[in-house]
Amino acid sequence: MNLASARALDAADPLARYRDLFALPEGVIYLDGNSLGALPRAVPAALQDTATRQWGERLIRSWNEGWIDAPARLGAKIAPLIGAAADDVIVGDSTSSNLFKLLVAALRVDPARRTIVSETGNFPTDLHIAEGAAGCVEGARLVAVPRDGLAQTIGPDTAVVLLTHVHYKTAEQFDMAAWTHAAHEAGALILWDLSHSTGAVPIDLDAANADLAVGCTYKYLNGGPGAPAFLFVAKRWQERFANPQSGWMGHAEPFAFTDAYAPAAGMRRWLVGTPPIFGLAALEASLDIWRDVDQRAVATKSAQLFDIIAAAGDGLGLDCVSPRDPAKRGSHISFRHPHAYAITQALIDRGVIGDFRDPDILRLGLTPLYLSYEDVFHAGDILADVMTSEAWRDPRFAERQTVT
Ligand SMILES: *Cc1c(COP(=O)(O)O)cnc(C)c1O
């Protein structure tokens, strides 16, 4: 790869037109869209309209003019990105909260099955929440084992297998159909965390026959910091599962104001309290970008961007821990290095924003909608400069901040 070939790829890129839909600062190559997606240009106007017209002028009438239906409407917009029917997805709360609701519900389906099986080194909130959810159901427990021990751990006591589709550190991807099948063979349910894969790789929950899923919207979906998350329940389970956080927004008739709880039909029962309208407004403006995006073009470009950075890393002797086979990974690339933190900071100082994951991972997100081949080619050059000059040894790059 050289500059001319990167530019030739940009000239022929079917996704190039999406870049203008995002507001990116000058002089920055943003390789952290897997942690906080970039700002879509449509978002500030959507927030402004929500504040001044919908809230300021329409006041409480806005609840009936679109607000109350936003969680289901946005769920329907996410559905095609994850291979789900429009009415099997709803948006609300955080990924952590949604995990809690679904895990407790799954543990309560069959009292003979008491175990949540997950992977050690899974994203921390998944394990923390699983521990907390198990604590809420009598006799339940979390068993977390390394990936190569999962198959033999899933058994007759397993209520639900909790897996993160794309690993946040290494970018390794589970084969969704194969692991869903393995869980079902053992009589267990499966819950997929799609936080690092939605908008990054093609996903087909229905083809895999998945039971449950959650996912984040502020990463590859660009919904903004702390944007509300999504939740999927396969139709066959929707009437069987109960939300342990039985709030009034999940009630069959919230405005009947009855004392007793009765769950809404379908996905609305997973709502808890009043939906966060500003967060939903920003997310909806972001999701509208995805309406006509060709997922295969995203996957193809992601693989090519990966190869550009991987080649730069190979030339520097960096230890790439992400799978080389594009079908086996998500849309970021990670290198292991004992000084990964300082290297990350030195890159940021030169305008290449990636991130660091404790203890030794430099992580670079590859977001085909708003990164050009030329951007990524330059990022590879800057990485080479930081490594060969040992610029990262400057003591100011060793100082740890709260968010890494
Ligand atoms: C980002 C991420 C989350 C985020 O959870 P929040 O509740 O939004 O903080 C959860 N799980 C995985 C796998 C993630 O990558």
Side-chain angles (χ1 to χ4, degrees), residues 64-88:
N64 285 321
E65 292 169 357
W67 287 358
I68 203 73
D69 299 322
R73 185 172 68 243
L74 273 62
K77 291 182 181 190
I78 290 172
L81 300 173
I82 58 174
D87 56 350
D88 292 349

Side-chain angles (χ1 to χ4, degrees), residues 322-340:
S322 302
R324 298 284 172 155
D325 175 356
K328 296 204 160 91
R329 63 168 192 252
S331 196
H332 65 273
I333 181 167
S334 292
F335 296 102
R336 178 169 287 136
H337 191 285
H339 297 287

Side-chain angles (χ1 to χ4, degrees), residues 8 16 33 51 62 80 162 173 177 187 189 251 258 310 319 325 362 375 378 385:
S62 280
L162 167 63
Q173 182 182 149
L189 297 160
H251 192 281
T258 54
D319 176 17
D325 175 356
L362 162 64
D375 287 333
H378 286 312
D385 176 56

Side-chain angles (χ1 to χ4, degrees), residues 46-47 50 63 66-75 90-93 217 223 226-229 271 274-287:
L47 289 173
T50 304
W63 282 111
W67 287 358
I68 203 73
D69 299 322
R73 185 172 68 243
L74 273 62
I90 199 147
V91 173
D93 302 314
T217 63
L271 298 179
T274 304
I277 294 303
F278 284 103
L280 290 163
L283 175 58
E284 187 159 23
S286 310
L287 288 175

Side-chain angles (χ1 to χ4, degrees), residues 242-253:
N243 183 353
Q245 284 188 282
S246 42
W248 76 306
M249 281 293 150
H251 192 281
E253 290 184 287

